[in-house]
């Protein structure tokens, strides 16, 4: 099964994606991350209006294997969280870049995109991760 | 395993059936306010024989160390000698009450004092409190001791605890419970704490570092003394997670490695029942400067009659020295962390275990536990990838990923092991190994039972190639087959409800 990568996103080394559209941005978990975690059973999301810096923990997801912290791809203030995940955490497994989004937020400093990977770099990065065997 | 499908005890209920008949009330009824009384109490209505048969049938579906090998990594599921139970059931222990005055329970207090002393001798610490009720409780207690000490030193700005990514999962939880922040420290390519990453994170905000040693990979940190030195140099304290003490008994004293505080798991290392048979017990040991902060009460020994007799002993006459054991609260104690005196029944069992084995036996335990783990590791690493290939201590971690069976996962291998009559190893932990299978045979397994486990692992790897469905659908020889773990986590049904 090939890992999907959205060409319109930027990526972190901890496998979050961010998609910027105008003044707003969406963030979520990558297809690679959901595949590693396996079936997600619970998601803990931040409150609307909460602010996080790039790299800070903003959410936690729990799968049958483990609970994992999710890190903010860009600094910003949360506008909206994906309420649907409360009853349907499997949306992250089914559609990680679409219906499985975690938060919508206002990024405060777009120059931070420079710290992230583009789709090609991310594809290369996960290939290396696979070869290393660890993560 | 016996195949029985057993209904819930509520489903066995038959209206009007009773298990015990009480005599008629012959005293005035207690005056209970009506609003505190309930009219219905929906308990199952069953007879004594219904109850006995129900639970005996369930017990035949159970699996435990008395039935077979239980290599659940990190849990040290060693055999629990029955002599421990004999000691714990002695009437003198059974019929004491925690409210009895000290002079009536000298035997109990002596046992506690001696257990404190034995744990001190094993670990090299200056003081031990037997209060904490389990491992994670011991961790929280230890962190509160570190906090109290540092606050006393005026170091109130310290708010961060460093935790290697190979530590026990309870360490970050205990840190958060104590109100501190967690910073994760990476492992290097040999599975040790990455010293450069550690140095980069040491500063005056650091309370300390929590070290699981041997770590959850079963590896003894090759730079442990350097880790301790660096943390101390930065003004922090070293916390030792003693859950893996089984690998060090009689060989290394944690205090000699620079550890300042550590919890013991009596229910792992010292053979007291756990995993449904508990409770646990997580005594905490500390170095000299932290002794005043221990939770109390702890047991102290007082020599009485010493002054009267000193110098008055006539020649040929033995000096009369009597001792009295008393409960004391250390001077700057963080307070009580448990009602009464901790889990006393568990202490009796651990005490018995240590006394039965003696100092030499303690060392043998560690040696045999390490040999057993290395024997198994050597046998199965040809087939299961071993990410950190060096001598392990009491346990090791392989990947449940097989070359010729891409769709088989650690979970499938574990479920199939049940069909071979073995309890599965720990799955998916530590997180730094993908599809982790964490295997801890303990010292109590014979060569035959180690071989049985290794053979089962190798046969399962073969089955994974030739008949992967067999693994996906496993276990087959149990009352119920593969359970829907995802469904149970997403839509848990937490209590039985009568059919409408």
């Amino acid at each position: 099964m090939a890992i999907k990568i959205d060409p319109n996103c930027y990526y972190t080394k901890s496998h979050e994606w961010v998609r910027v559209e105008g003044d707003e941005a969406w963030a979520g978990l990558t297809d690679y991350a959901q595949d590693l975690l396996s079936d997600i059973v619970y998601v803990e999301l931040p409150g609307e209006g909460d602010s996080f810096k790039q790299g800070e923990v903003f959410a936690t997801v729990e799968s049958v294997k483990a609970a994992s912290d999710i890190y903010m791809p860009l600094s910003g203030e949360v506008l909206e969280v994906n309420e649907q995940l409360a009853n349907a955490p499997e949306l992250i497994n089914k559609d990680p870049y679409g219906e499985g989004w975690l938060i919508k937020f206002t990024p405060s400093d777009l120059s931070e995109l420079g710290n992230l990977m583009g789709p090609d770099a991310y594809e290369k990065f996960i290939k290396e991760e696979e070869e290393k065997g660890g993560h | 395993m016996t195949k029985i499908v057993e209904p819930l005890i509520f489903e066995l209920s038959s209206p009007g059936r009773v298990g015990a008949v009480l005599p008629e009330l012959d005293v005035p009824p207690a005056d209970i306010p009506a609003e505190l009384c309930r009219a219905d109490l929906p308990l199952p209505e069953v007879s004594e024989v219904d109850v006995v048969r129900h639970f005996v049938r369930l017990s035949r579906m159970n699996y435990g160390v008395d039935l077979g090998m239980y290599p659940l990594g990190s849990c040290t599921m060693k055999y629990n000698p029955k002599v421990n139970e004999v000691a714990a059931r002695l009437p003198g222990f059974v019929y004491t009450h925690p409210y009895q005055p000290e002079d009536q329970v000298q035997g109990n207090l002596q046992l506690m004092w001696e257990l404190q002393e034995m744990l001190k001798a094993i670990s090299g610490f200056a003081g031990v409190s037997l209060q904490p009720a389990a491992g994670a409780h011991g961790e929280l207690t230890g962190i509160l001791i570190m906090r109290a000490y540092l606050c006393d030193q005026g170091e109130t700005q310290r708010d961060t605890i460093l935790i290697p990514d190979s530590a026990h999962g309870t360490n970050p939880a205990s840190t958060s419970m104590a109100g501190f922040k967690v910073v994760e420290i990476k492992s290097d390519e040999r599975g040790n704490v990455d010293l450069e990453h550690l140095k980069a994170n040491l500063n005056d905000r650091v309370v300390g570092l929590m070290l699981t040693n041997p770590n959850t990979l079963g590896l003894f940190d090759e730079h442990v003394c350097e880790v301790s030195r660096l943390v101390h140099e930065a003004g922090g304290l070293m916390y030792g997670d003693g859950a893996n003490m089984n690998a060090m008994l009689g060989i290394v004293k944690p205090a000699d490695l620079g550890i300042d505080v550590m919890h013991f798991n009596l229910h792992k290392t010292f053979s007291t029942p756990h995993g449904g048979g508990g409770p646990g017990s997580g005594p905490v040991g500390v170095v000299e400067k932290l002794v005043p902060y221990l939770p109390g009460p702890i047991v102290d020994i007082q020599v009485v009659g010493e002054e009267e007799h000193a110098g008055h002993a006539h020649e040929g006459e033995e000096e009369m020295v009597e001792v009295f054991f008393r409960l004391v609260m250390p001077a700057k104690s963080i307070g009580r962390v448990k009602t009464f005196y901790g889990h006393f029944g568990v202490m009796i069992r651990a005490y018995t275990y240590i006394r039965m084995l003696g100092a030499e036996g303690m060392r043998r335990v560690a040696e045999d536990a390490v040999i057993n783990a290395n024997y198994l590791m050597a046998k199965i690493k040809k087939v299961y990838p071993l990410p950190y290939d060096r001598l392990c201590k009491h346990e090791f971690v392989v990947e449940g990923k097989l070359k010729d069976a891409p769709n088989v996962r650690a979970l499938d291998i574990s479920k199939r092991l049940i069909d071979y009559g073995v309890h599965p190893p720990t799955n998916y932990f530590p997180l730094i190994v993908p599809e982790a299978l964490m295997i801890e045979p303990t010292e109590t397994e014979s060569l035959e039972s180690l071989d049985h486990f290794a053979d089962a692992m190798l046969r399962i790897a073969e089955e994974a190639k030739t008949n992967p469905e067999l693994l996906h659908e496993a276990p087959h020889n149990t009352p119920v087959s593969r359970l829907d773990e995802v469904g149970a986590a997403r839509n848990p049904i937490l209590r039985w409800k009568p059919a409408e």
Side-chain angles (χ1 to χ4, degrees):
Chain A
M1 17 162 204
I3 296 294
K4 289 194 280 289
I5 291 174
D6 186 325
N8 302 313
C9 293
Y10 284 86
Y11 296 89
T12 65
K13 284 188 176 175
S14 44
H15 309 292
E16 291 87 10
W17 59 259
V18 60
R19 190 165 53 233
V20 182
E21 286 175 23
D23 297 340
E24 295 170 347
W26 281 258
L29 273 182
T30 68
D31 191 35
Y32 180 76
Q34 72 74 23
D35 185 60
L36 270 188
L37 286 165
S38 78
D39 294 294
I40 290 165
V41 294
Y42 181 71
V43 184
E44 195 180 314
L45 292 168
E48 281 162 24
D50 288 355
S51 286
F52 299 93
K53 286 194 198 113
Q54 187 174 40
E56 277 185 346
V57 174
F58 75 95
T60 308
V61 298
E62 206 177 307
S63 74
V64 281
K65 280 162 61 169
S68 306
D69 286 335
I70 310 301
Y71 301 94
M72 198 73 170
L74 296 172
S75 305
E77 185 185 324
V78 178
L79 289 172
E80 199 181 326
V81 300
N82 187 353
E83 304 282 0
Q84 287 218 66
L85 296 177
N87 291 318
E90 62 272 20
L91 288 174
I92 299 174
N93 295 113
K94 283 187 193 144
D95 188 8
Y97 301 106
E99 281 193 87
W101 63 279
L102 296 177
I103 58 165
K104 182 178 165 188
F105 67 102
T106 332
S108 55
D109 179 6
L110 285 178
S111 74
E112 289 173 348
L113 284 170
N115 303 329
L116 304 179
M117 289 173 277
D120 295 340
Y122 182 63
E123 191 174 359
K124 212 174 132 215
F125 176 71
I126 55 177
K127 225 169 248 160
E128 284 165 9
E129 289 279 290
E130 278 294 275
E131 276 155 24
K132 260 198 301 182
H135 60 269
Chain B
M1 235 174 254
T2 322
K3 241 184 211 242
I4 327 170
V5 175
E6 181 64 19
L8 299 175
I9 193 141
F10 286 94
E11 293 167 325
L12 292 172
S13 187
S14 174
R17 194 173 286 178
V18 289
V21 183
L22 298 175
E24 268 188 51
L25 189 67
D26 58 359
V27 291
D31 195 16
I32 301 168
E35 67 272 21
L36 295 181
C37 295
R38 57 195 290 180
D40 67 317
L41 185 61
L43 293 175
E45 296 178 79
V46 283
S47 68
E48 181 177 321
V49 67
D50 291 337
V51 175
V52 168
R53 286 181 179 165
H54 172 70
F55 286 105
V56 170
R57 283 194 299 257
L58 284 180
S59 76
R60 292 171 66 189
M61 289 187 257
N62 195 14
Y63 187 90
V65 278
D66 285 354
L67 209 55
M69 186 170 169
Y70 208 130
L72 193 65
S74 203
C75 297
T76 315
M77 302 299 285
K78 62 171 72 180
Y79 173 70
N80 306 151
K82 296 296 170 255
V83 66
N84 296 354
E85 299 304 317
V86 176
R89 282 165 176 72
L90 290 173
F93 291 132
V94 172
Y95 297 114
T96 43
H97 190 280
Y99 278 136
Q100 276 178 266
E102 287 171 350
D103 61 350
Q104 291 180 9
V105 291
Q106 282 294 296
N108 299 31
L109 295 179
Q110 182 176 352
L111 181 137
M112 290 173 70
W113 181 80
E114 287 182 16
L115 182 59
Q116 288 170 190
E117 290 301 304
M118 293 190 294
L119 293 177
K120 279 157 68 176
I122 287 168
S123 60
F125 289 121
V128 165
S129 168
L130 301 172
Q131 277 245 311
H137 192 204
E139 290 175 31
L140 176 64
T141 302
I143 297 170
L144 295 176
I145 292 171
M146 287 158 68
R147 185 173 73 180
Y149 171 78
L150 289 169
C151 285
D152 245 10
Q153 305 290 312
E155 299 275 306
T156 50
Q157 83 288 359
R158 294 186 182 263
D159 62 355
T160 304
I161 291 195
L162 309 179
I163 302 180
D165 58 13
S166 62
H168 278 136
T170 42
N171 292 183
S174 304
T175 299
S176 299
M177 279 285 282
F180 290 134
K181 283 184 238 161
V182 177
V183 171
E184 190 174 279
I185 304 297
K186 289 184 200 143
S187 298
D188 67 17
E189 71 283 356
R190 284 184 60 78
N192 299 314
V193 171
D194 186 312
L195 290 178
E196 291 314 310
H197 195 228
L198 170 63
K199 282 178 199 161
N201 282 284
L202 282 172
N203 51 51
D204 69 352
R205 302 297 291 263
V206 170
V207 173
L209 180 137
M210 291 182 89
L211 189 72
T212 304
N213 190 33
N215 62 25
T216 56
L217 298 164
L219 303 175
F220 192 89
D221 198 292
E222 294 164 305
H223 317 124
V224 57
C225 294
E226 181 63 2
V227 171
S228 297
R229 194 187 66 76
L230 289 168
V231 170
H232 288 150
E233 198 177 73
L237 294 165
M238 283 292 288
Y239 186 91
D241 183 314
N244 293 344
M245 191 68 204
N246 212 42
M248 300 204 281
L249 283 176
I251 297 172
V252 187
K253 291 180 182 178
D256 293 343
L257 303 176
I259 304 291
D260 299 299
V261 198
M262 188 191 85
H263 76 269
F264 301 83
N265 295 70
L266 297 190
H267 49 283
K268 295 181 179 178
T269 317
F270 300 102
S271 83
T272 76
H274 65 307
S281 178
V284 167
V286 295
V287 294
E288 194 73 49
K289 66 181 176 193
L290 300 178
V291 171
Y293 301 89
L294 279 173
I298 58 175
V299 183
D300 196 14
I301 188 170
Q302 195 179 16
V303 180
V304 289
E306 210 175 21
E307 282 156 36
E308 298 99 277
H309 292 285
H312 295 290
H314 299 293
E315 235 168 274
E317 206 177 301
E318 255 187 67
E319 193 147 348
M320 289 283 295
V321 177
E322 274 185 49
V323 291
F324 186 77
F325 297 95
R326 50 191 197 109
L327 294 159
V328 293
M329 207 58 161
K332 295 177 170 183
S333 176
I334 60 163
R336 280 180 174 276
V337 296
K338 180 79 179 74
T339 48
F340 298 118
Y341 314 112
H343 287 151
F344 181 65
V346 180
M347 295 172 204
I348 302 171
R349 291 171 175 87
Y351 174 90
T352 307
Y353 180 73
I354 299 171
R355 289 295 300 268
M356 292 296 288
L357 287 172
E360 272 177 42
M362 286 284 108
R363 190 181 168 96
R364 246 325 261 295
V365 164
E367 287 172 352
D368 289 356
V370 170
I371 290 167
N372 282 1
N374 278 286
Y375 178 77
L376 272 189
M377 185 175 82
K379 279 201 125 177
I380 70 172
K381 77 175 183 185
K382 291 168 225 155
V383 175
Y384 293 89
L386 179 68
Y388 298 88
D389 192 358
R390 64 173 167 108
L391 278 182
C392 67
K393 288 291 172 266
H394 62 303
E395 66 190 0
F396 63 98
V397 181
V398 292
E399 293 176 14
K401 291 202 298 194
L402 296 156
K403 242 189 296 165
D404 307 318
N407 293 326
V408 166
R409 316 175 69 156
L411 185 73
D412 302 315
I413 295 162
S414 292
K415 296 290 185 191
R416 183 63 183 148
L417 265 174
I418 297 172
D419 286 334
Y420 284 92
V422 178
H423 194 285
T426 299
N427 284 195
Y428 301 114
F429 199 85
L431 301 175
I432 48 176
V433 175
E435 298 294 317
L437 287 171
M438 186 194 205
I439 300 166
E440 181 182 12
T442 82
E443 72 282 3
T444 53
E445 295 309 312
S446 65
L447 183 63
E448 291 80 7
S449 88
L450 295 174
D451 283 339
H452 173 71
F453 177 79
D455 290 348
M457 287 295 283
L458 299 178
R459 279 171 67 179
I460 290 169
E462 207 49 47
E463 289 170 352
K465 279 182 233 165
T466 54
N467 188 5
E469 280 315 297
L470 194 63
L471 272 69
H472 291 312
E473 287 160 18
H476 304 272
N477 305 334
T478 42
V480 286
S481 189
R482 185 70 69 100
L483 297 168
D484 180 4
E485 292 174 19
V486 176
R490 283 183 186 157
N491 303 302
I493 299 167
L494 300 174
R495 56 164 293 211
W496 176 84
K497 285 193 186 118
E500 291 293 309

